[in-house]
Amino acid sequence: MGRTLVELFYDVISPYSWLGFEVLCRYQHIWNIDLRFRPAFLGGIMQQTGNKPPAMLPERAEYMLKDIKRMAKYYQVPVHVPRDAFQSILATSSLAAMRFITAIDMTNQQYLEPLSREFWMRFWSQHEDISQPENILTVARQAGLSAELSQKALEMISSPTVKDRLKETTAEAIKYGAFGMPAVVAHCDGEPHLFFGSDRLELLGSVIGEKWLGPVPS
C-alpha cells in the first residue's frame, strides 16, 4: 500500500498551526504518510477569502486565550499567550519570516522543520519580534543555520523568485479550499481532502486509514 501525501499549509503567526505542526511531526514516523511542509502567508489567505482574524471579536478573543492554553497543555507544545497577545499579533506582519522560510524551503529543505519551530518558539513562547532582519537571523542561528546560509536566505526574501513562490503556495492552499490556518491536505482515493485546524487530526487519521493515538503518541 502506497504512502499518503499529507501537506501542511502554515504560517508561524498562527499558534494553532504550531500545534498541528508538532503533532504531524510526531505522526510522520508512525503513520504511513509523506509529510510535506508548505509555508504560506496567512494574511494573503485572509484577504483573498474575505476572512477576518477571530480575535477581532472580543468574546472570541477571550475564548481563544483559554482555548490555546488548554490545547498547549494537551498537545504538550510550549505556546504561552499573554492577555495582550492578540493586539501584538494584529500589529505584527509575518511576511518577512514566511519569505525567509520559503527561501530555505527552496534551497535547504533539511532546515525547514527546525527553522519553522524556532520562529514559533520566538514569537509564541518567548514573545519576541520575528519581523526584523536581525531577529530573523537570530532565529536562523538558533535553528542551526550557518551565518553564510542565513545571510543568503535573507537576501533572497526580496527576490521575485521567493515572493512568487510564497504567493503560489498561498494560492494553492486557497485552491484546496483553505480560508485560514493550519490547512492540512491529505491526498488519498485520487483526490485532496482538506482539514482545517489542529483539532481535526483524529479525523484525518480516520480518512486515510490510520489509528489516532492521541496528540502525544508514545
Side-chain angles (χ1 to χ4, degrees), residues 35-68:
L35 178 60
R36 185 181 179 193
F37 299 120
R38 305 298 308 278
F41 183 47
L42 179 57
I45 289 179
M46 300 294 274
Q47 182 179 29
Q48 292 181 53
T49 62
N51 199 357
K52 302 291 183 184
M56 290 181 70
L57 183 67
E59 289 80 3
R60 191 166 182 184
E62 187 69 25
Y63 173 79
M64 283 181 66
L65 283 170
K66 299 173 183 176
D67 185 57
I68 293 173

Side-chain angles (χ1 to χ4, degrees), residues 24 42 89 125 162 197:
L24 285 172
L42 179 57
I89 296 166
S125 190
V162 168

Side-chain angles (χ1 to χ4, degrees), residues 13 15 53-62 64-65 68 80-94 123-124 127 129:
I13 204 72
M56 290 181 70
L57 183 67
E59 289 80 3
R60 191 166 182 184
E62 187 69 25
M64 283 181 66
L65 283 170
I68 293 173
H80 301 296
V81 187
R83 291 202 63 83
D84 62 348
F86 298 120
Q87 283 72 26
S88 64
I89 296 166
L90 294 173
T92 299
S93 173
S94 62
F123 190 71
W124 283 106
H127 311 134
D129 182 74

